[in-house]
Amino acid sequence: MVAIVLFSLVGILIGILSSLFGFGGGIIVVPILYAFLPETIPGEYVMHTAIGTSLAVMIVNSFNSTLHHAKSGNVKWNIFKFLFLYICIGAVFGGFLAYFFTSEILRYAFIAFLIYVILSSVIKRTFIRGAHEDFQFPAHSNGIATGIGIGTISTLLGIGGSVMTIPYLRNRGLSMLHAVALATPLGLPIAIVGTFMYMGMGMQVATMPASTIGFIYLPALFGFVLGGFIGVPFGRKMAQKLPDALFSKVYLFLLMIVVIMMMIE
């Protein structure tokens, strides 16, 4: 119970960031759990458990955030329909591939990918300059490749879709508010497919403790979800008020903090 209460307090922050930046929890949950999972989790499966738990948390937070953003009219449903199916296909690939990677490889891949996102966003400058809501749909083949790529990498690393979806939508002219609002429903297939994939893989490991279902750590799941119901409404209200240019810079700054957290472990 103590663990659930402590995780619930952290869950409030995760809920705010989920609704405010479209993180769904993954960017925050993975490094926190990597650092604080109990010793009962076998060392070679710590990163797998952090990712699996992160994906399970995302199901609830993404659904909750989507409802709040949809009520405010922030979700561009035509773009959602364009990418949704291909992200679902990629999510299946990512969940399957995770079985073949060690915990340490997943950690380094997580770090490397975030560094790439930060550097490319700063160098291109399309991410941090103001958007004009002139979103241009890509060619259909490009949309297929993008959606499958987002689903595969996001599920494999447990980061949800926002870290790939938001920069992509920004580069095509969408504002941060609408990019974040889209990242939450587009993260649902990644979260759902990834959760069941990691759950199934973990259930084949006999050394996992009773506090888990597969690679999902239950005290953290319950705590983060409870806290998320408090945090999500606050995050959505803050997202409505943040200026677009400041919004994008704060997003990149938070990604830098996460990279540092993962590198010093």
Side-chain angles (χ1 to χ4, degrees):
M1 285 302 298
V2 174
I4 293 176
V5 171
L6 292 176
F7 282 127
S8 295
L9 295 176
V10 178
I12 296 174
L13 174 62
I14 291 171
I16 291 173
L17 294 177
S18 171
S19 190
L20 180 56
F21 294 107
F23 285 161
I27 292 295
I28 307 300
V29 171
V30 171
I32 287 176
L33 288 183
Y34 185 82
F36 295 107
L37 278 174
E39 294 182 359
T40 53
I41 305 294
E44 65 269 33
Y45 296 116
V46 169
M47 190 63 177
H48 292 79
T49 305
I51 291 174
T53 306
S54 164
L55 289 165
V57 172
M58 282 182 216
I59 294 177
V60 180
N61 278 355
S62 294
F63 186 75
N64 194 11
S65 296
T66 297
L67 287 179
H68 281 273
H69 278 293
K71 288 178 181 178
S72 300
N74 297 333
V75 182
K76 300 280 188 179
W77 291 110
N78 56 335
I79 304 175
F80 170 82
K81 293 176 183 177
F82 180 76
L83 292 171
F84 180 76
L85 175 61
Y86 308 123
I87 289 178
C88 288
I89 295 171
V92 175
F93 289 155
F96 175 75
L97 289 174
Y99 183 79
F100 300 98
F101 292 91
T102 66
S103 184
E104 199 66 6
I105 289 176
L106 288 175
R107 176 194 172 198
Y108 288 129
F110 185 94
I111 293 170
F113 184 75
L114 288 188
I115 291 174
Y116 166 76
V117 169
I118 293 168
L119 291 178
S120 62
S121 297
V122 171
I123 292 171
K124 291 180 181 178
R125 298 192 66 80
T126 51
F127 187 89
I128 57 178
R129 68 171 177 243
H132 301 289
E133 292 299 334
D134 55 347
F135 182 82
Q136 298 294 317
F137 280 89
H140 192 69
S141 58
N142 181 281
I144 294 174
T146 299
I148 292 177
I150 289 172
T152 301
I153 296 174
S154 300
T155 306
L156 180 62
L157 301 182
I159 55 177
S162 68
V163 179
M164 296 186 70
T165 306
I166 291 177
Y168 174 74
L169 296 173
R170 284 288 290 177
N171 290 339
R172 301 197 72 86
L174 209 60
S175 71
M176 277 297 294
L177 176 61
H178 291 123
V180 166
L182 266 174
T184 52
L186 287 175
L188 275 171
I190 295 167
I192 293 170
V193 172
T195 295
F196 282 102
M197 289 284 191
Y198 275 87
M199 185 187 299
M201 288 189 297
M203 291 177 73
Q204 300 176 42
V205 179
T207 54
M208 293 298 290
S211 57
T212 62
I213 296 180
F215 287 138
I216 299 173
Y217 182 54
L218 296 178
L221 172 62
F222 294 145
F224 288 154
V225 166
L226 287 173
F229 277 101
I230 299 174
V232 163
F234 288 101
R236 195 269 305 164
K237 291 177 182 178
M238 294 167 66
Q240 296 283 151
K241 298 177 181 179
L242 271 179
D244 189 76
L246 176 61
F247 207 155
S248 61
K249 291 181 176 66
V250 174
Y251 180 89
L252 290 181
F253 177 72
L254 288 176
L255 291 189
M256 293 178 191
I257 293 176
V258 172
V259 169
I260 294 171
M261 288 174 63
M262 291 298 291
M263 291 179 70
I264 63 177
E265 291 300 328

